[in-house]
Amino acid sequence: MRTSQFLLSTLKEAPAEAEVISHKLMIRAGLIKRLAGGIYTWMPLGLRVLRKVEAIIRDEMNRAGAQELLMPAVIPAELWQETGRWEKYGPELLRIKDRHHRDFVIGPTHEEVITDVVRREIKSYRQLPIHLYQIQTKFRDEIRPRFGVMRGREFLMKDGYSFHTSFADLEREYGNMYDTYHRIFQRLGLKFRAVAADTGSIGGTGSHEFHVLADSGEDAIAFCPDSDYAANVELAEALAPTTPRVAPDAPLAKEPTPDKTQCGDVAQFLGTDVTQLVKSIAVVAAEGGFTLLLLRGDHELNEIKAEKVIGEFRFAKDDEIVTALGCKPGYIGPVDIDAGIRVIADRSVAAMGDFVCGANQAGYHFTHVNFGRDLPEPAQVADIRNVIAGDPCPDGKGPLELCRGVEVGHIFQLRTRYSQAMNCKFLDENGKEQVMEMGCYGIGVSRIVGAAIEQNFDDRGIIFPAAIAPFQIAIVPMGYHKNPVVKEAADKLLVELESLGLDVLLDDRNERPGSMFADMELIGIPHRLVIGERTLKEGQLEYKGRRDEAATLIPAGDVQTFIREKLCAA
């Protein structure tokens, strides 16, 4: 391929709305062009990358025994109404009407459609298990699309669905997909981690997310460097302290803490450590009414864990807090409160003694507070906090560490969440109807491109992993339009390398060498060969790997062997 025949449109500066590095570099490198908020055109260069990602995914899915199909993007509302998601999904679901005023949705996911396909086609246990997948454009009407393709409204996704006669067989296929996803991300050349995760709005039981590790990732991951344990912070268990509760060493006291409403400020004012504070978070549960959640001063509430303990809830309003406790937030606490208020203490709080908490009076906190003496033992103790670095790993094999990740894949054991609602059944060996067990397996194909860049870049631009680079090799001739010897050598080298089945880009633009080098580095081509008059006279070419600090000279006659070795080493 020649740049004179290829639509290459690079920019020196990224637009102001580009926030994360992948968005900036994808715009600058001309991989994508913005059409509307969260909606992008994939330009020829970006599409080459996208198609390579797609090819690896398709190859491994086929290898794993899945069958590809393609479902409609426009879905009748009736299917979503069968499962109840028409009402529950929310404004992210783009609802449309056709000319006959019938309701449809633009598919954000396809559980309903695939279940309808299978209930029509599969009747007997002899036809199961079956795993069907597609690679297709989805649409989710994000309230604030941002980060380019990382959180866009329109995106390309691989979604697969498996159907089984038993949960045991679903678990088998779940393990098959767990291994398949590992192979996919290894072939993509990405540093990643599979983490235990919450099933969220999709529903079901078992769930794992696959995260590309990157400092800019939206998700926090807890992992143990001494074991295979990894979990999204939303799910990672915070174990109860093993040290015994300290005995009281002073009577309860009410201390003035004027204008001190934050845990750090209170601790500093009282000359104690923030780990000795208990903060009270007032919520209103759908079942159970006004509730106080007690956390250690340096810990954060995990809303997903809390919801599993108390059901749906919302944070209490200031006037509700005043009515229940007699003061506004900042000074509330669990001492001397109405017996009808439900109190749930985090595991770490239940082990605390001689702690500090709000006194339910503006400008005051209690010190030397102890359960059993100054207030009742917590009626309920549960894990309701986020883990922090240094917490013991749930598998007992060392301390936890935290890192950031970009979620690019998610697998679920859906069980019968959709098959039951949509009457997707089969006849077993005894001729009896049974509900099918289901699995769901997604990969954000377009998101992988952004995540790969978040993990692989420098101050000169993108550094694509070799497997998904738009081109493997860039040929940059010095004086292509002025020196016939250089032109002949460059044209010959292009033909030779392409005959080996390699993706090669010859930069035959009439540009300054600096601009050509800058563009080839910006778009992330792994290998660069420079042809110049002087080096040709010496029988040499200049080679530079995208991650190399300096270029090296290689014999012109050995270039094919040299490149093969470089590609094999990648």
Side-chain angles (χ1 to χ4, degrees):
M1 181 67 69
R2 299 169 182 270
T3 54
S4 59
Q5 301 168 338
F6 189 82
L7 184 56
L8 186 67
S9 54
T10 57
L11 300 173
K12 293 187 181 298
E13 300 291 337
E17 72 269 13
E19 300 172 81
V20 295
I21 194 66
S22 60
H23 191 191
K24 294 176 181 178
L25 290 177
M26 290 182 78
I27 294 290
R28 284 192 56 213
L31 302 184
I32 56 174
K33 297 291 183 181
R34 183 182 184 274
L35 178 63
I39 302 174
Y40 295 88
T41 297
W42 285 82
M43 301 299 284
L45 192 71
L47 188 60
R48 291 180 71 91
V49 180
L50 195 66
R51 291 292 181 247
K52 290 187 177 184
V53 173
E54 187 178 322
I56 289 172
I57 294 171
R58 180 175 283 110
D59 185 54
E60 289 296 339
M61 289 298 296
N62 293 345
R63 173 185 170 188
Q67 302 176 61
E68 187 173 6
L69 80 171
L70 185 62
M71 291 176 273
V74 179
I75 305 170
E78 289 82 0
L79 292 181
W80 281 69
Q81 290 163 352
E82 279 192 64
T83 61
R85 290 210 293 177
W86 175 258
E87 296 80 15
K88 293 179 181 178
Y89 203 88
E92 287 186 5
L93 186 63
L94 185 62
R95 304 158 202 260
I96 59 174
K97 290 182 182 291
D98 67 6
R99 66 176 64 193
H100 303 291
H101 303 287
R102 292 176 297 211
D103 289 316
F104 290 82
V105 305
I106 305 297
T109 183
H110 276 68
E111 285 82 7
E112 284 83 358
V113 179
I114 196 66
T115 305
D116 182 63
V117 169
V118 170
R119 71 180 173 181
R120 294 171 184 268
E121 296 296 324
I122 304 299
K123 303 301 180 184
S124 168
Y125 72 95
R126 293 187 179 89
Q127 297 171 279
L128 296 172
I130 189 169
H131 187 149
L132 302 168
Y133 80 95
Q134 65 174 349
I135 298 176
Q136 189 226 43
T137 298
K138 311 284 191 187
F139 192 94
R140 294 178 187 169
D141 200 4
E142 294 275 357
I143 187 170
R144 192 168 69 90
R146 59 195 190 279
F147 308 153
V149 300
M150 301 279 282
R151 190 167 288 280
R153 292 193 292 167
E154 183 180 279
F155 54 94
L156 189 66
M157 182 178 179
K158 188 285 297 181
D159 50 321
Y161 308 90
S162 63
F163 295 79
H164 308 268
T165 60
S166 66
F167 179 50
D169 194 55
L170 167 59
E171 289 184 304
R172 174 201 56 75
E173 183 63 10
Y174 188 87
N176 180 30
M177 283 297 103
Y178 185 88
D179 294 340
T180 298
Y181 275 38
H182 274 79
R183 291 196 300 271
I184 287 170
F185 293 116
Q186 286 166 356
R187 284 184 60 182
L188 290 171
L190 301 173
K191 297 176 184 177
F192 70 97
R193 196 90 188 219
V195 304
D198 187 77
T199 55
S201 63
I202 297 293
T205 54
S207 171
H208 281 85
E209 294 172 351
F210 289 78
H211 287 260
V212 170
L213 304 182
D215 292 338
S216 60
E218 289 187 278
D219 294 293
I221 300 167
F223 70 97
C224 179
D226 302 316
S227 73
D228 293 331
Y229 178 85
N232 194 300
V233 167
E234 294 175 346
L235 192 68
E237 182 183 7
L239 299 179
T242 56
T243 53
R245 182 192 292 171
V246 298
D249 69 352
L252 178 71
K254 183 188 287 186
E255 300 287 349
T257 52
D259 301 321
K260 302 294 186 278
T261 59
Q262 302 298 315
C263 288
D265 295 337
V266 173
Q268 185 177 19
F269 185 80
L270 295 176
T272 188
D273 194 273
V274 72
T275 59
Q276 282 303 110
L277 267 68
V278 169
K279 58 185 175 185
S280 303
I281 300 174
V283 302
V284 177
E287 297 181 7
F290 193 90
T291 303
L292 277 188
L293 306 178
L294 306 184
L295 294 173
R296 205 173 76 182
D298 61 325
H299 290 162
E300 293 181 3
L301 177 68
N302 184 311
E303 294 182 36
I304 290 176
K305 290 182 181 179
E307 189 171 279
K308 290 178 180 178
V309 175
I310 63 177
E312 290 187 15
F313 71 90
R314 62 173 173 81
F315 292 100
K317 300 173 184 176
D318 284 4
D319 60 336
E320 293 172 322
I321 296 172
V322 170
T323 299
L325 300 172
C327 75
K328 292 183 177 181
Y331 299 99
I332 65 175
V335 179
D336 294 331
I337 61 174
D338 187 280
I341 296 176
R342 185 182 181 188
V343 176
I344 301 174
D346 182 67
R347 291 169 173 174
S348 57
V349 171
M352 292 174 67
D354 272 332
F355 57 83
V356 176
C357 69
N360 292 320
Q361 181 179 345
Y364 289 89
H365 280 77
F366 283 127
T367 60
H368 300 289
V369 184
N370 288 272
F371 289 112
R373 186 192 72 177
D374 308 309
L375 73 167
E377 292 289 344
Q380 187 172 2
V381 176
D383 173 21
I384 57 172
R385 71 172 176 92
N386 287 333
V387 296
I388 60 175
D391 278 341
C393 182
D395 66 9
K397 295 183 179 179
L400 290 174
E401 294 183 11
L402 302 182
C403 65
R404 308 296 301 182
V406 178
E407 183 191 339
V408 291
H410 205 161
I411 59 177
F412 301 86
Q413 294 174 10
L414 290 178
R415 302 296 308 270
T416 58
R417 161 73 173 83
Y418 297 91
S419 52
Q420 182 75 55
M422 298 184 67
N423 200 34
C424 183
K425 297 179 179 180
F426 68 97
L427 294 178
D428 65 14
E429 301 94 318
N430 302 313
K432 184 179 178 181
E433 277 194 339
Q434 303 286 352
V435 177
M436 296 184 200
E437 295 275 355
M438 283 181 64
C440 173
Y441 319 95
I443 291 180
V445 182
S446 50
R447 199 170 214 229
I448 283 174
V449 180
I453 295 169
E454 291 291 333
Q455 193 179 83
N456 298 278
F457 69 93
D458 60 17
D459 57 0
R460 299 190 300 274
I462 302 167
I463 308 175
F464 272 118
I468 61 174
F471 295 94
Q472 295 167 291
I473 304 163
I475 299 174
V476 182
M478 300 293 94
Y480 181 86
H481 294 277
K482 298 178 181 178
N483 191 316
V485 175
V486 169
K487 182 180 185 301
E488 181 182 359
D491 291 343
K492 180 182 177 183
L493 183 58
L494 174 65
V495 172
E496 288 178 358
L497 295 178
E498 286 186 333
S499 70
L500 299 177
L502 302 178
D503 278 335
V504 187
L505 181 64
L506 169 60
D507 196 344
D508 60 349
R509 296 175 295 171
N510 191 15
E511 295 280 352
R512 293 179 294 104
S515 296
M516 298 162 73
F517 291 155
D519 277 350
M520 294 305 106
E521 291 190 316
L522 173 62
I523 65 180
I525 298 177
H527 307 281
R528 187 183 77 196
L529 293 168
V530 178
I531 300 175
E533 182 180 14
R534 181 177 59 82
T535 52
L536 278 178
K537 288 180 179 178
E538 297 170 355
Q540 294 179 317
L541 302 179
E542 181 183 288
Y543 168 82
K544 187 175 185 293
R546 181 59 184 82
R547 294 185 184 273
D548 294 346
E549 289 296 322
T552 56
L553 294 175
I554 59 172
D558 296 341
V559 65
Q560 291 190 29
T561 301
F562 180 86
I563 287 297
R564 280 201 195 97
E565 291 174 352
K566 286 290 182 181
L567 294 176
C568 289

